[in-house]
């Protein structure tokens, strides 16, 4: 029996699948979708227009994604590990949850949520460490049709409050604290700070992890463990899966764009399930019994799609790691690969570059022979890092999949298929079946042929495309469908080589990619401008050896006579408070003014060049209001 009938096993099969997916997209995806467990079959495979935009896949179909991730595996692999969990501290015991156990725990926690009055369509914010209970909480929401909004542990109270308010969440699931390397993050205290601004939240469920002292407010806060005991006394451990329409919302995940306010990207049940599963099975070439390790955090889309939903819907064993790559030492990933005989490793270029810097001593004594497939995601991978990964981790015998995709795409759109289609260093290579990328020039004209570069758009919907931005559909249209009418615009620039392979070169909008995390320059500027004494600021990215991009801030300050090195630290602290530590500027240069056009627009192009160290050839500066300011900025460059 073949495990997944739609798994592509040769180059010829890829070519055929791709061809069919272009000629008959509906037939193609209907065939794939038939492999899942539907409570009712869909009536119309696809309805769409990119003008509103409106995209509906499998409409009329009914399903619950957790039945596909859990129930349908019970008969054949109920005892197989679903989640293997490695704690932050290697001395602590690891955990293994079989599909049976995971199913039980998800149903149990879904009953906890029901006990607390939650029903289909309600929104829940999840702010938790990387422990199995995070996956359980996510799946428990999906079980009863509650929309989850997971917030990454590196965001501040203010960021959490903004997200909770935007989605009007009524319940928060968190933990007392989180272990990350030798640090402890006081999750519950951060939530307490956030909730001062969030009247929609009536209940907080707190899991014990670090057992740091926390305040527990009567009537609002309760312990996860107590809630579980309550459902245990109620007897019936089952929880019928809520019937969901294919286009019902599954989750919201906030992501940064070029405006100051993060957008709530909305994914729906049917298409997201089909595409995350299809891309998982094909890109990584998952085989029965493989141990698959994605090092991302579930707080990001990579964790949603390729730790939880993709692998579990495929009946895979997914390894979850609570800690960080460099603790207790820089050999931690390799130790985990060795310990659990990991077959497929999916990580980020920033992690590879950072570990590269620690040298080969940490790799030498680890047995990495179980590895068969390597993957990267999050940002362009430079050739040096690619070769280091290939030679020292893959030992030259593991295909590397360079997977390009976005929060908005839900799953991998451009990537080689491991061992099936050829890899090319620093190239994401070819589109997955069903994906129709095109390059356009500034005016939106399609650039045909190969050996060309332009802005990357997609001209046809795939099943896990963003449906809307929560509460503001017009914003979704503006951000993704208005720049080039009739196309989904990715915000990335790309080139297509002589053989049709894509190489993604990076964002062409005001979005930074810092260690694979998307951060809007406007967001950081808003945070900086909140600091007392700051008049205005401009934030740009610059090449950073490990993070890919670093954050460079130009700040106009008139807060009186202070030690500027201290003011600089205060500004960093303000950003950390307002957005979170992940958005801290790496460099702050105080300037007397910003280069502006006569109409008052900041000339970021110039600031970007200076931050990149390119002090000559700043391009056309004739429209500048005050050219002298550029000379001053050049002199003060950090
Ligand atoms: C999955 C994820 C999306 C942005 C995207 C790109 C960049 C992601 C690659 C990449 C070059 C890659 N979602 N990006 N993968 N650039 N090669 N393989 O990262 O929403 O957080 O970020 O990340 O700029 O637009 S995300």
């Amino acid at each position: 029996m073949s495990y997944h009938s739609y798994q592509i096993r040769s180059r010829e099969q890829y070519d055929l699948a791709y061809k069919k997916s272009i000629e008959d997209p509906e037939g193609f995806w209907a065939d794939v979708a038939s492999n899942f467990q539907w409570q009712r079959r869909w009536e119309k495979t696809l309805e769409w227009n990119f003008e509103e935009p409106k995209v509906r896949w499998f409409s009329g179909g009914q399903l619950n994604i957790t039945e596909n991730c859990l129930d349908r595996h019970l008969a054949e692999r109920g005892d197989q590990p679903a989640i293997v969990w490695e704690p932050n501290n290697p001395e602590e015991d690891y955990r293994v949850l079989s599909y049976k156990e995971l199913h039980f725990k998800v149903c149990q926690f879904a009953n906890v949520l029901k006990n607390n009055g939650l029903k289909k369509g309600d929104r829940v914010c999840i702010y938790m460490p990387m422990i199995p209970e995070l996956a359980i909480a996510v799946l428990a929401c999906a079980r009863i049709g509650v929309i989850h909004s997971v917030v990454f542990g590196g965001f501040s109270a203010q960021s959490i409050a903004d997200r909770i308010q935007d989605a009007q969440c009524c319940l928060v699931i968190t933990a007392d604290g989180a272990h990350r390397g030798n640090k402890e993050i006081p999750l519950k205290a951060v939530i307490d700070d956030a909730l001062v601004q969030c009247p929609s939240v009536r209940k907080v469920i707190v899991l014990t992890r670090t057992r740091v002292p926390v305040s527990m407010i009567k009537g609002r806060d309760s312990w996860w463990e107590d809630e579980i005991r309550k459902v245990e006394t109620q007897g019936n451990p089952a929880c019928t899966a809520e019937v969901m329409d294919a286009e019902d919302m599954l989750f919201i995940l906030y992501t940064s764009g070029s405006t100051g306010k993060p957008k709530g990207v909305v994914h729906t049940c049917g298409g997201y399930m089909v595409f995350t599963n299809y891309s998982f099975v094909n890109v990584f070439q998952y085989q029965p019994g493989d141990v698959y390790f994605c090092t991302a955090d579930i707080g990001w889309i990579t964790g949603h799609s390729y730790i939880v939903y993709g692998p579990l819907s495929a009946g895979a064993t997914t390894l979850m790691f609570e800690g960080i790559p460099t603790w207790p030492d820089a050999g931690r990933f390799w130790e985990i690969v060795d310990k659990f005989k990991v077959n497929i490793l999916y990580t980020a270029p920033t992690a590879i570059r950072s570990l590269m810097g620690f040298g080969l001593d940490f790799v030498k004594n680890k047995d990495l022979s179980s590895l068969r497939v390597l993957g990267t995601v999050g940002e362009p991978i430079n050739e040096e890092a690619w070769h280091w990964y290939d030679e020292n981790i893959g030992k030259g015998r593991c295909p590397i999949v360079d997977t390009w995709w976005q929060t908005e795409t839900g799953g991998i759109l451009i990537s080689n298929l491991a061992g099936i289609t050829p890899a090319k260093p620093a190239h994401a290579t070819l589109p997955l079946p069903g994906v129709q990328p095109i390059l356009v020039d500034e005016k939106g004209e399609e650039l045909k042929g190969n050996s060309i570069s332009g802005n990357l758009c997609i001209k046809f919907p795939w099943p896990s495309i963003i449906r809307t931005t929560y509460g503001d559909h017009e914003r979704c249209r503006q951000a993704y469908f208005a720049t080039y009418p009739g196309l989904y615009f990715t915000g990335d620039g790309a080139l297509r080589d002589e053989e049709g392979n894509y190489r993604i070169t990076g964002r062409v909008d005001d979005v930074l990619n810092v260690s694979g995390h998307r951060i809007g320059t406007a967001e950081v500027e808003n945070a900086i401008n909140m600091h007392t004494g700051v008049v205005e600021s401009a934030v740009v990215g610059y090449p950073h050896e490990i993070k890919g991009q670093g954050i460079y801030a130009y700040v106009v300050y008139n807060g009186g006579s202070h030690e500027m090195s201290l003011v600089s630290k205060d500004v960093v602290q303000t950003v950390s408070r307002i957005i979170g530590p992940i958005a801290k500027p790496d460099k702050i240069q105080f300037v007397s003014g910003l280069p502006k056009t006569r109409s008052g627009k900041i000339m970021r192009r110039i600031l970007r060049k200076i931050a990149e160290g390119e002090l000559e050839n700043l391009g056309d500066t004739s429209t500048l209001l005050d050219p002298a300011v550029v000379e001053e900025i050049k002199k003060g460059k950090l």
Side-chain angles (χ1 to χ4, degrees):
M1 188 209 73
S2 94
Y3 187 41
H4 298 105
S5 57
Y6 45 89
Q7 188 174 56
I8 293 166
R9 299 294 287 152
S10 68
R11 175 67 206 233
E12 293 67 43
Q13 283 178 14
Y14 166 78
D15 291 336
L16 273 174
Y18 193 78
K19 187 160 175 281
K20 156 114 195 192
S21 77
I22 303 306
E23 288 170 358
D24 178 18
E26 295 192 37
F28 177 83
W29 287 114
D31 283 350
V32 175
S34 304
N35 292 280
F36 295 78
Q37 189 174 314
W38 296 84
Q39 293 167 350
R40 189 174 84 195
R41 196 182 158 93
W42 60 95
E43 281 145 20
K44 189 96 192 63
T45 304
L46 172 65
E47 296 154 273
W48 72 289
N49 73 69
F50 277 174
E51 277 70 51
E52 295 178 52
K54 169 183 140 177
V55 179
R56 295 175 59 81
W57 280 96
F58 311 115
S59 65
Q62 291 179 334
L63 77 156
N64 186 293
I65 197 168
T66 70
E67 286 189 327
N68 287 273
C69 288
L70 303 169
D71 305 60
R72 72 164 170 154
H73 303 310
L74 295 182
E76 251 186 75
R77 34 179 171 274
D79 294 319
Q80 180 203 297
I83 295 179
V84 174
W85 175 75
E86 169 72 2
N88 178 62
N89 184 343
E91 319 264 270
E92 192 185 326
D93 290 341
Y94 66 89
R95 289 168 62 187
V96 179
L97 277 82
S98 68
Y99 271 95
K100 247 187 228 158
E101 289 162 328
L102 183 60
H103 175 264
F104 178 83
K105 284 180 185 292
V106 168
C107 290
Q108 194 178 45
F109 195 67
N111 284 331
V112 165
L113 296 176
K114 285 202 290 196
N115 268 349
N116 283 285
L118 289 194
K119 49 184 196 321
K120 179 172 172 179
D122 288 342
R123 279 83 52 214
V124 162
C125 172
I126 303 178
Y127 188 66
M128 287 179 84
M130 277 288 287
I131 50 180
E133 283 70 17
L134 167 51
I136 291 166
V138 162
L139 292 165
C141 288
R143 186 79 177 173
I144 60 169
V146 160
I147 298 160
H148 55 77
S149 164
V150 183
V151 177
F152 174 63
F155 281 113
S156 69
Q158 184 60 50
S159 294
I160 299 166
D162 292 343
R163 286 157 174 75
I164 289 177
Q165 282 174 308
D166 187 77
Q168 287 294 295
C169 297
C170 57
L171 187 145
V172 175
I173 308 169
T174 188
D176 46 4
H179 299 294
R180 268 181 72 78
N182 54 16
K183 288 206 194 81
E184 271 189 27
I185 302 163
L187 297 180
K188 176 59 164 61
V190 177
I191 289 292
D192 287 334
D193 286 344
L195 293 191
V196 173
Q197 306 177 53
C198 301
S200 62
V201 174
R202 53 178 171 76
K203 178 88 193 179
V204 183
I205 298 177
V206 187
L207 182 85
T208 336
R209 178 65 187 122
T210 59
R211 208 49 196 97
V212 63
V214 292
S215 82
M216 293 290 284
I217 303 298
K218 191 185 293 170
R220 188 194 71 179
D221 302 349
S222 70
W223 294 106
W224 173 298
E225 295 78 4
D226 290 343
E227 293 283 339
I228 294 288
R229 270 190 288 276
K230 220 181 290 168
V231 295
E232 276 170 354
T233 61
Q234 290 165 354
N236 184 7
C239 175
T240 316
E242 185 75 31
V243 178
M244 303 294 282
D245 285 331
E247 283 297 335
D248 279 341
M249 260 185 225
L250 175 62
F251 66 83
I252 308 169
L253 185 59
Y254 286 84
T255 191
S256 296
S258 39
T259 64
K261 196 175 158 245
K263 296 184 280 270
V265 172
V266 169
H267 286 289
T268 57
C269 298
Y272 179 82
M273 170 184 75
V274 169
F275 193 80
T276 53
N277 176 293
Y278 181 82
S279 51
F280 172 74
V281 161
N282 281 298
V283 170
F284 299 106
Q285 290 290 307
Y286 187 86
Q287 302 302 327
D290 278 352
V291 177
Y292 160 85
F293 176 20
C294 167
T295 70
D297 191 290
I298 292 178
W300 306 109
I301 190 68
T302 304
H304 283 62
S305 301
Y306 298 111
I307 294 178
V308 181
Y309 290 113
L312 294 178
S313 67
T317 296
T318 177
L319 196 154
M320 235 179 120
F321 172 43
E322 182 184 29
I324 57 172
T326 50
W327 193 82
D329 64 42
R332 193 66 195 278
F333 279 180
W334 325 130
E335 186 189 299
I336 294 173
V337 168
D338 190 344
K339 180 170 171 183
F340 297 102
K341 303 294 166 231
V342 170
N343 306 106
I344 305 170
L345 175 69
Y346 189 29
T347 192
T350 187
I352 298 167
R353 286 190 300 264
S354 146
L355 296 177
M356 223 167 102
F358 286 90
L360 290 173
D361 281 355
F362 296 99
V363 185
K364 265 200 323 239
N365 50 348
K366 311 290 184 332
D367 178 6
L368 304 182
S369 61
S370 57
L371 286 174
R372 202 183 72 239
V373 173
L374 302 176
T376 78
V377 61
E379 50 175 319
I381 182 164
N382 48 308
E383 295 208 18
E384 193 193 356
W386 195 97
H387 287 293
W388 187 88
Y389 198 31
D390 179 41
E391 284 157 31
N392 300 296
I393 307 306
K395 317 284 182 194
R397 44 165 202 85
C398 301
I400 298 176
V401 288
D402 179 347
T403 66
W404 174 84
W405 59 295
Q406 309 177 299
T407 306
E408 295 85 345
T409 70
I412 299 166
L413 294 197
I414 304 182
S415 174
N416 49 318
L417 310 184
I420 306 293
T421 60
K424 179 172 176 181
H427 287 67
T429 74
L430 300 175
L432 265 68
V435 176
Q436 303 190 34
I438 69 168
L439 298 177
V440 300
D441 66 15
E442 306 287 88
K443 286 183 242 102
E445 295 296 331
E446 176 166 2
L447 300 162
K448 296 218 168 93
N450 288 341
S451 308
I452 209 148
S453 73
N455 289 345
L456 179 63
C457 295
I458 317 284
K459 65 177 174 195
F460 194 87
W462 60 98
S464 62
I465 186 175
I466 179 175
R467 297 305 196 273
T468 189
T469 47
Y470 191 80
D472 191 350
H473 193 62
E474 171 58 14
R475 207 166 160 215
C476 174
R477 193 187 68 80
Q478 272 293 336
Y480 309 107
F481 299 92
T483 317
Y484 304 114
L487 300 173
Y488 167 81
F489 176 41
T490 65
D492 281 319
L495 44 93
R496 191 165 52 219
D497 75 3
E498 54 295 342
E499 288 161 322
N501 291 307
Y502 287 88
R503 174 184 194 145
I504 316 302
T505 44
R507 304 290 303 195
V508 295
D509 53 9
D510 293 318
V511 176
L512 306 180
N513 192 325
V514 180
S515 300
H517 302 156
R518 265 168 73 168
I519 297 169
T521 54
E523 260 177 277
V524 183
E525 287 163 7
N526 289 349
I528 291 174
N529 297 349
M530 286 174 76
H531 187 72
T532 179
V534 170
V535 180
E536 60 175 342
S537 61
V539 165
V540 297
Y542 70 96
H544 187 287
E545 231 187 288
I546 288 169
K547 301 180 184 184
Q549 267 188 317
I551 303 180
Y552 196 117
Y554 299 91
V555 177
V556 181
Y557 179 82
N558 77 351
S561 54
H562 289 279
E563 172 62 65
M564 290 316 279
S565 66
L566 294 177
V567 176
S568 177
K569 287 185 182 147
D570 291 341
V571 170
V572 170
Q573 190 54 31
T574 304
V575 174
S576 186
R577 263 271 156 184
I578 301 299
I579 305 177
I582 54 170
K584 283 183 187 176
D586 299 277
K587 294 181 179 180
I588 294 181
Q589 179 181 351
F590 292 102
V591 297
S592 66
L594 297 169
K596 288 188 182 170
T597 63
R598 270 169 250 277
S599 60
K601 280 189 87 169
I602 298 172
M603 292 186 77
R604 292 171 175 284
R605 178 175 50 84
I606 292 178
L607 293 174
R608 223 175 280 135
K609 284 214 162 154
I610 295 175
E612 285 166 3
E614 237 203 81
L615 301 186
E616 306 308 314
N617 308 323
L618 291 180
D620 183 12
T621 53
S622 62
T623 56
L624 270 177
L625 194 59
D626 177 12
V629 86
V630 175
E631 291 313 308
E632 177 212 305
I633 292 175
K634 274 160 65 173
K635 281 205 197 81
K637 190 206 169 272
L638 300 172

